[in-house]
């Protein structure tokens, strides 16, 4: 029987790449996100290429009732989730704190912190009962460092850093692994979302250097989940070679 991996935010970028990688490695996959059409397209892609099962859960991770409803309706054969990848997340806006947009702040806090908590609260009891499971939190360099105008986004990722450590301690008696992966700049739809659809501004972010690609992070996730039982890869910081920290880049041209 295949292991089951649930990946939040699989409609794009890092989450989609993780779904593709784990499907290739014969995991049955639960994909989640708000954009249903993209989930359906991905399901076709995943099942065409691999002999696995795929389940779609379509919810807004900020709305607990929606998330909980999906879980209470989970078919029995999908309930024993082996790997939970808390990936769904976003940055919205890049303003100094005194010009911050309250709605942007709420979106980041509700998605990046509360969404991760909701998922963990719903999936971890089964893992604890079975004394088996692996939680992967996609954090960021922004969870280790702070950069100008990144204020609230960085705070949400620092919260993820604290939660990864706290979850690891609480679930230690159950043999559940917790891995945190902290990428630097990855070229995905992240900047398009941050700049609210301004494609030119988004493209500017990745000019003059080679960023990471979503698949680079998927490879790290697979490395973590393929370790033997006695090894937990706790925390991985992955940066483009041209990025030293949260705000120092070597750009050419
Ligand atoms: P993308 O914008 O490409 O993907 C974000 C994913 O999150 C989408 O699938 C989106 O699905 C999902 N998502 C966002 N909001 C919600 C919501 N309210 N409910 C459900 N799903 C939601 O960005 P990335 O792939 O780059 O981002 C993935 C993670 O990686 C995020 O946590 C991000 O903070 C982190 N990260 C990204 C880096 C980068 O440079 N790109 C670097 C470090 C970390 P949908 O819109 O369909 O709901
Ligand atoms: C996303 C990368 O550098 O914008 O987490 O914080 S960064």
């Amino acid at each position: 029987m295949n292991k089951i991996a649930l990946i939040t935010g699989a409609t794009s970028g890092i989450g989609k790449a993780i779904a593709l990688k784990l499907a290739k490695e014969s995991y049955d996959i639960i994909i989640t996100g708000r954009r249903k059409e993209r989930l359906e397209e991905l399901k076709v892609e995943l099942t065409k290429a691999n002999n696995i099962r795929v389940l779609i859960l379509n919810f807004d991770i900020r709305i607990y009732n929606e998330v909980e409803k999906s879980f209470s309706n989970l078919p029995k054969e999908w309930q024993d989730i082996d790997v939970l990848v808390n990936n769904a997340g976003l940055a919205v806006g890049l303003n100094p704190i005194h010009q911050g947009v309250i709605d942007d702040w709420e979106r980041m806090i509700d998605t990046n912190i509360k969404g991760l908590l909701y998922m963990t609260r719903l999936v971890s009891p089964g893992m604890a009962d079975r004394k088996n499971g692996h939680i992967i939190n996609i954090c960021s360099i922004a969870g280790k460092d702070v950069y100008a105008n990144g204020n609230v986004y960085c705070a949400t990722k620092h919260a993820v850093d604290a939660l990864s450590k706290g979850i690891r301690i609480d679930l230690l008696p159950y043999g559940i692994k917790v891995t945190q992966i902290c990428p630097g700049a990855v070229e995905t739809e992240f900047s398009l979302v941050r700049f609210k659809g301004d494609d030119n501004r988004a493209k500017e972010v990745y000019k003059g250097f080679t960023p990471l690609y979503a698949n680079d992070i998927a490879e790290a996730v697979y490395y973590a989940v393929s370790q033997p039982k006695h090894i937990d890869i706790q925390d991985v910081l992955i940066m483009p070679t041209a990025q030293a920290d949260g705000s120092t880049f070597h750009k050419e041209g």
Side-chain angles (χ1 to χ4, degrees):
M1 217 169 71
N2 292 343
K3 286 187 174 174
I4 299 176
L6 186 159
I7 300 139
T8 67
T11 57
S12 164
I14 295 171
K16 182 176 177 182
I18 295 169
L20 288 165
K21 175 67 186 173
L22 294 186
K24 200 168 154 221
E25 301 298 341
S26 299
Y27 280 76
D28 288 335
I29 306 284
I30 305 175
I31 45 177
T32 87
R34 290 166 301 179
R35 286 170 287 183
K36 197 159 190 272
E37 275 170 27
R38 286 198 185 194
L39 290 171
E40 275 158 4
E41 280 164 23
L42 180 59
K43 180 175 176 173
V44 171
E45 191 178 344
L46 291 171
T47 42
K48 244 190 203 164
N50 311 281
N51 185 22
I52 58 152
R53 300 178 299 149
V54 177
L55 181 74
I56 289 175
L57 296 182
N58 180 212
F59 53 69
D60 185 329
I61 206 165
R62 295 170 296 179
I63 304 172
Y64 183 71
N65 286 346
E66 273 190 26
V67 184
E68 201 273 335
K69 200 170 150 203
S70 288
F71 272 83
S72 54
N73 293 327
L74 208 56
K76 185 148 184 21
E77 63 275 19
W78 284 99
Q79 286 176 6
D80 293 353
I81 295 164
D82 296 286
V83 177
L84 165 63
V85 185
N86 283 315
N87 163 77
L90 77 179
V92 199
L94 192 65
N95 298 326
I97 199 75
H98 62 295
Q99 291 165 359
V101 177
I102 301 294
D103 184 58
D104 293 351
W105 294 356
E106 313 269 26
R107 285 176 63 192
M108 290 187 276
I109 291 167
D110 289 354
T111 312
N112 301 357
I113 305 176
K114 290 166 73 179
L116 179 147
L117 282 171
Y118 297 160
M119 293 303 302
T120 305
R121 181 66 184 84
L122 288 163
V123 174
S124 60
M127 290 180 167
D129 284 347
R130 295 188 303 277
K131 289 203 162 37
N132 177 56
H134 196 157
I135 297 173
I136 313 252
N137 292 334
I138 305 299
C139 186
S140 170
I141 178 63
K144 306 279 183 191
D145 202 357
V146 177
Y147 52 84
N149 306 326
N151 41 64
V152 175
Y153 177 68
C154 294
T156 65
K157 290 299 183 177
H158 275 66
V160 171
D161 188 51
L163 284 170
S164 295
K165 291 175 189 150
I167 294 166
R168 191 178 296 119
I169 294 167
D170 293 349
L171 299 182
L172 192 64
Y174 306 97
I176 295 170
K177 299 186 188 188
V178 179
T179 295
Q180 169 167 279
I181 297 189
C182 300
V186 189
E187 188 167 10
T188 61
E189 293 178 15
F190 178 85
S191 293
L192 195 64
V193 173
R194 165 169 262 172
F195 298 124
K196 303 178 183 179
D198 183 338
D199 197 33
N200 290 332
R201 213 174 155 198
K203 283 202 177 106
E204 205 52 46
V205 173
Y206 309 105
K207 272 200 185 138
F209 75 109
T210 306
L212 296 170
Y213 299 105
N215 190 50
D216 301 329
I217 308 308
E219 290 293 335
V221 168
Y222 181 63
Y223 178 76
V225 298
S226 57
Q227 293 304 306
K229 198 169 171 53
H230 67 289
I231 299 177
D232 177 28
I233 305 296
Q234 288 201 349
D235 202 348
V236 186
L237 178 62
I238 309 178
M239 303 292 283
T241 304
Q243 182 181 2
D245 57 26
S247 52
T248 312
F249 290 81
H250 178 70
K251 293 196 177 187
E252 284 168 356

